[in-house]
Amino acid sequence: MPDGALPVLDVKDLKTVFRTRGGEVHAVNNVSFHLQPGELLGVVGESGSGKSVTMMSLIGLLPQPPADIRGGQVMLGDIDLRTAPAEVLRGVRGKRIGFVFQDPMTSLNPVFTVGSQIMEPLRLHMGMTKAQATERAVELLELVGIPDARKRLKSYPHQFSGGMRQRVMIAIALACDPEVLIADEPTTALDVTIQAQILELVKDLRKKLGMAIIWITHDLGVIAGIADRVMVMYGGQVVEQAPVKDLFARPQHPYTRALLKTVPHLTGARQARLQVIEGQPPILTAHPTACAFRARCTHRFERCDAENPLRRPVGHGHDVACHWVVNAEVAHA
Amino acid sequence: MLDESPRKLVQVEDLRLYFPIHTGVLRRHTGDVKAVDGVSFDIFEGETLGLVGESGCGKSTVGRALLRLYDLSGGKVRIDGTDISDLSVGELRPIRPKMQMVFQDPQASLNPRMTVSEIIGEPLVEHTDLDAAGRQARVLELMDQVGLNRIFQNRFPYEFSGGQRQRIGIARALALNPKFIVCDEPIAALDVSIQAQVVNLLEDLQDKLGLTYLFISHDLSMVRHIADRVCVMYLGRVAELSPRDDLYANPLHPYAKALLSAVPEADPNAETTRQRIILKGDVPSPANPPKGCAFCTRCPEVEAICKTEAPALREVAPGRHVACHFVEIQNRAGSTGPKKPEAIEPNQQGERA
Ligand SMILES: Nc1ncnc2c1ncn2[C@@H]1O[C@H](COP(=O)(O)OP(=O)(O)OP(=O)(O)O)[C@@H](O)[C@H]1O
Ligand SMILES: Nc1ncnc2c1ncn2[C@@H]1O[C@H](COP(=O)(O)OP(=O)(O)OP(=O)(O)O)[C@@H](O)[C@H]1O
Ligand SMILES: [Mg+2]
Ligand SMILES: [Mg+2]
């Protein structure tokens, strides 16, 4: 991808807060990132670090209240999704932006057949007739590897296994050939042979359709296999982003470094005990005024308590939000 | 003579679990989804048996059947010596605390109207004599154990991320100090640093309390870490059941080979050169399984006999059970590889892609 190309999606300073009985939860704190045409951006990060809320905020899928999107700009081409009227958003969601979210059971409606749920966006956005939509739905189910596709259109979600429901969600997301696909742990519940097929499928669709993809996963193996660029989130912020090879070869942020060490491997010596990142995720009751990782960081010094680090470039297309890393860079220079 | 071998805590014999299919206006019973179709294995006390296999192959159904969350369609399940295959709900009640489950879908398994401490404390109300203060103390201890901050105790499940919700489920499963826990994808929704904490926690609890686990997972790297033996299922049946190191060094069943070759490695350089066996063909439906071997429609090594005769699960080497016509019984000196001349070498399975 040429660096200069205009991004399909450009997010600046997105800020989302939840109002709960226990006070505010600052889930997303000034998140900025961009997505280039045809690019696959991998997103990794601590459980609760705001990956899902970021993506739901940017396509306006969070109920407000309890969510409160306090700021930011989400440019899809020349539309700002943050301020666009509801009907514009409805025309974008499921059409220009397809999405697959965690927890397939909550995303598929249990009282409608799988077929009718796949056909809904086709009829709504593509103006297809019932017959056309049925054909396309069969094609989509076959595409994601559901056997007996035509018969299975009449099944209800509970009659499918977890993995099959997730493949249905992927089929729905792909229905209208979106420009951007947001996939939130789309293969988490899948068996690896099916995952391998879906990853091949995604590589294929990117080539064919030039779709840009945001792929959230906990599986660093998947990231290593398909991402062009990786964004690491921690405590509602982006703490590091880099081209994929660079991230694995030269992780900079102490959280990223620790993260890469915690995964068990398929080959080589078995560790007696897995390496863990000690401590607990931060409690996000207020806008951060210090580094969110400091309580668990082995490199913490005074500045980490006094000031939330901003992202600084440390290499080509590689930036990191860490006082310690930036200090070390300066020392080397 | 003293029996030196470890005690079998869980014994499963020819387990069958069929879901009836009803069609037409009269909802006539026209067939069955054979979710589990003749599965046998034992789990030794204190061990972890990994259960892996294709999405929809019946892993969760096996796990739920072992705990008698379903009525069995056939076969026997013995837990700690007691045959629970035909026990009624009332007869199961005193046995329930011994066996617990951590569910695959944290969203569906947590009551949205209960607070975290009520959810974790619920089994204590039902099965112990602890008073409110005793329960509260135990709940906080459990929250610490699974890495949930105590200040969350009065919050509701929807206020948590997917990963945090799964920890609530694990705390609840641990509440009654069970002997046997079915962990159904317990870490699938967790981020890797928390996975390591939870797996270490499960291992610590196993050491401390002699717990026995059935660990259902699609993460083969993690199964390699935690399991002592691994059972590979395909379409309601066992394809291979082997000690961990044997399976990972030299998978024998063609499905096990494909499965291991498909695991992504956390190394972008290895990933660009890695060869995989990408399986072709449809995943058959358990309502209409193929004749013969369940894997014959996708098997890269399929022969005529596979399409007519279902292979039995045989012990082909000490502790190694494989259901494939072409895996030979190991003779003392020989190898256990498939007997066909073009058979691939151990660890070279990737080259077939
Ligand atoms: N409805 C809500 N009310 C209050 N807090 C919420 C709500 N939804 C999410 N949160 C909080 O927002 C933060 C970010 O959650 P999010 O679901 O985005 O995490 P995530 O990075 O996707 O985690 P995971 O990897 O576990 O899915 C968490 O601290 C979570 O507790
Ligand atoms: N309540 C039910 N009614 C009908 N069929 C069911 C029911 N529950 C499961 N099945 C079917 O039984 C088979 C086995 O399902 P199960 O959930 O055990 O698979 P699994 O191996 O756990 O899959 P996954 O890895 O996707 O979780 C599937 O074909 C599924 O569609
Ligand atoms: Mg999430
Ligand atoms: Mg399952």
Side-chain angles (χ1 to χ4, degrees):
Chain A
M1 254 134 288
D3 279 349
L6 231 48
V8 271
L9 192 64
D10 199 357
V11 179
K12 285 218 173 72
D13 287 328
L14 190 64
K15 166 93 192 164
T16 304
V17 175
F18 289 101
R19 294 211 189 88
T20 72
R21 290 175 311 118
E24 291 189 337
V25 177
H26 289 242
V28 175
N29 299 307
N30 297 2
V31 162
S32 302
F33 68 94
H34 61 98
L35 182 69
Q36 298 300 123
E39 174 184 49
L40 197 146
L41 175 68
V43 182
V44 295
E46 188 93 14
S47 174
S49 63
K51 304 181 296 295
S52 299
V53 172
T54 297
M55 300 310 156
M56 307 257 276
S57 303
L58 69 86
I59 51 174
L61 271 183
L62 280 181
Q64 303 187 53
D68 175 15
I69 301 181
R70 295 223 175 135
Q73 205 183 37
V74 180
M75 301 305 292
L76 175 74
D78 50 17
I79 309 175
D80 183 355
L81 300 181
R82 256 267 292 145
T83 51
E87 72 207 64
V88 173
L89 267 184
R90 272 197 297 275
V92 165
R93 280 199 301 257
K95 171 118 180 55
R96 296 185 62 191
I97 302 184
F99 43 86
V100 182
F101 280 113
Q102 269 176 305
D103 283 334
M105 215 42 198
T106 57
S107 312
L108 285 175
N109 190 327
V111 305
F112 293 111
T113 63
V114 164
S116 70
Q117 297 186 61
I118 303 176
M119 283 151 66
E120 186 190 303
L122 294 169
R123 304 199 62 188
L124 185 74
H125 295 304
M126 314 285 274
M128 287 191 184
T129 64
K130 193 160 179 217
Q132 288 170 326
T134 305
E135 287 317 301
R136 175 78 176 137
V138 170
E139 197 181 294
L140 286 162
L141 279 187
E142 278 168 355
L143 189 70
V144 296
I146 303 270
D148 290 340
R150 195 171 295 272
K151 261 196 229 151
R152 294 299 256 184
L153 287 181
K154 299 199 184 72
S155 301
Y156 288 87
H158 76 270
Q159 293 168 315
F160 279 20
S161 73
M164 289 162 80
R165 289 198 294 265
Q166 196 58 303
R167 277 180 276 160
V168 171
M169 292 306 300
I170 294 173
I172 294 173
L174 295 175
C176 303
D177 293 336
E179 292 155 60
V180 175
L181 173 68
I182 299 177
D184 192 350
E185 307 198 28
T187 57
T188 292
L190 303 187
D191 169 277
V192 293
T193 65
I194 303 295
Q195 173 172 285
Q197 281 175 16
I198 288 183
L199 297 181
E200 289 294 307
L201 172 79
V202 166
K203 286 181 191 165
D204 228 49
L205 290 169
R206 285 178 63 196
K207 256 191 241 134
K208 272 197 219 133
L209 311 172
M211 200 189 322
I213 302 177
I214 298 174
W215 196 279
I216 302 177
T217 179
H218 289 111
D219 190 334
L220 294 169
V222 170
I223 291 284
I226 62 166
D228 300 310
R229 203 153 53 86
V230 187
M231 168 168 121
V232 183
M233 288 192 69
Y234 190 87
Q237 299 171 76
V238 178
V239 295
E240 182 161 8
Q241 59 117 2
V244 65
K245 288 197 175 166
D246 205 25
L247 189 92
F248 279 87
R250 282 172 295 278
Q252 294 295 312
H253 196 280
Y255 169 69
T256 316
R257 292 172 193 236
L259 183 66
L260 293 180
K261 283 192 198 139
T262 61
V263 288
H265 290 278
L266 195 65
T267 52
R270 265 177 80 247
Q271 303 144 275
R273 206 174 161 76
L274 294 173
Q275 202 155 346
V276 300
I277 303 175
E278 293 298 345
Q280 289 184 16
I283 298 161
L284 308 162
T285 52
H287 191 76
T289 53
C291 174
F293 190 60
R294 69 190 190 284
R296 304 167 79 181
C297 186
T298 47
H299 302 290
R300 175 180 181 175
F301 63 106
E302 309 82 55
R303 197 166 167 199
C304 310
D305 300 323
E307 191 187 322
N308 191 15
L310 295 174
R311 249 152 73 200
R312 300 282 177 90
V314 290
H316 188 70
H318 189 161
D319 51 45
V320 59
C322 173
H323 295 307
W324 173 73
V325 170
V326 170
N327 268 8
E329 285 277 311
V330 172
H332 276 292
Chain B
M1 204 179 85
L2 265 175
D3 187 5
E4 287 286 320
S5 61
R7 206 163 69 91
K8 293 169 178 172
L9 186 75
V10 179
Q11 291 164 281
V12 184
E13 216 181 286
D14 200 31
L15 178 68
R16 282 162 209 272
L17 210 299
Y18 299 168
F19 295 105
I21 303 170
H22 298 282
T23 48
V25 259
L26 297 177
R27 312 306 292 159
R28 252 194 264 272
H29 181 192
T30 50
D32 293 298
V33 176
K34 297 184 174 176
V36 179
D37 198 17
V39 161
S40 304
F41 59 79
D42 297 322
I43 310 178
F44 297 109
E45 186 158 35
E47 93 165 332
T48 299
L49 180 70
L51 183 58
V52 301
E54 203 89 22
S55 160
C57 74
K59 304 180 297 295
S60 297
T61 308
V62 165
R64 288 160 166 267
L66 292 197
L67 303 190
R68 276 296 314 279
L69 300 179
Y70 293 131
D71 286 337
L72 310 186
S73 309
K76 289 248 171 297
V77 174
R78 241 178 241 109
I79 305 269
D80 208 8
T82 311
D83 184 345
I84 62 164
S85 323
D86 302 310
L87 296 189
S88 67
V89 174
E91 290 166 328
L92 280 168
R93 206 184 132 75
I95 299 172
R96 289 245 171 258
K98 272 192 206 173
M99 41 189 210
Q100 293 292 322
M101 181 148 182
V102 177
F103 289 91
Q104 179 171 14
D105 189 345
Q107 182 75 19
S109 61
L110 301 179
N111 184 337
R113 276 178 288 275
M114 288 166 73
T115 65
V116 168
S117 73
E118 285 166 350
I119 289 170
I120 299 172
E122 194 183 22
L124 299 172
V125 176
E126 267 181 52
H127 289 280
T128 70
D129 304 329
L130 290 176
D131 59 10
R135 287 199 300 270
Q136 178 67 1
R138 177 75 179 133
V139 165
L140 293 179
E141 183 182 79
L142 288 160
M143 289 183 73
D144 291 347
Q145 275 184 331
V146 299
L148 276 173
N149 198 308
R150 289 177 172 214
I151 72 163
F152 292 149
Q153 59 173 308
N154 293 320
R155 295 207 186 166
F156 292 91
Y158 66 84
E159 293 175 64
F160 291 87
S161 73
Q164 290 166 328
R165 282 199 292 262
Q166 192 56 289
R167 279 182 276 170
I168 301 171
I170 292 170
R172 183 177 55 182
L174 295 173
L176 298 174
N177 287 316
K179 277 191 158 175
F180 173 52
I181 302 183
V182 172
C183 306
D184 191 352
E185 308 268 10
I187 54 169
L190 307 186
D191 118 330
V192 291
S193 66
I194 312 292
Q195 286 186 357
Q197 288 181 7
V198 170
V199 165
N200 285 348
L201 170 69
L202 288 172
E203 288 182 321
D204 288 347
L205 290 163
Q206 184 166 47
D207 288 347
K208 216 164 71 187
L209 308 165
L211 287 175
T212 304
Y213 298 130
L214 178 68
F215 192 85
I216 301 172
S217 176
H218 64 280
D219 182 341
L220 281 121
S221 304
M222 193 56 90
V223 168
R224 176 175 182 245
H225 176 80
I226 197 172
D228 302 299
R229 293 187 304 141
V230 182
C231 180
V232 183
M233 272 182 79
Y234 190 83
L235 207 67
R237 300 182 195 164
V238 176
E240 176 163 353
L241 172 60
S242 286
R244 172 197 62 226
D245 291 343
D246 293 338
L247 180 79
Y248 283 82
N250 179 23
L252 295 178
H253 194 284
Y255 174 62
K257 291 179 203 169
L259 189 62
L260 286 172
S261 86
V263 179
E265 285 259 56
D267 174 359
N269 296 314
E271 276 299 307
T272 49
T273 55
R274 195 127 168 276
Q275 301 277 307
R276 344 198 109 89
I277 306 170
I278 300 274
L279 290 176
K280 302 230 164 59
D282 282 346
V283 185
S285 142
N288 186 19
K291 262 212 184 68
C293 175
F295 190 50
C296 73
T297 55
R298 300 167 82 201
C299 183
E301 300 173 39
V302 65
E303 299 277 327
I305 184 181
C306 308
K307 294 176 184 161
T308 55
E309 240 174 85
L313 188 70
R314 297 168 300 145
E315 184 161 10
V316 297
R320 302 203 65 173
H321 305 261
V322 182
C324 174
H325 293 300
F326 294 101
V327 176
E328 238 179 39
I329 307 263
Q330 182 183 39
N331 54 38
R332 230 172 313 140
S335 86
T336 52
K339 69 183 170 196
K340 286 191 284 182
E342 71 275 26
I344 48 166
E345 290 298 305
N347 289 330
Q348 300 285 308
Q349 68 270 28
E351 310 216 325
R352 311 192 86 243

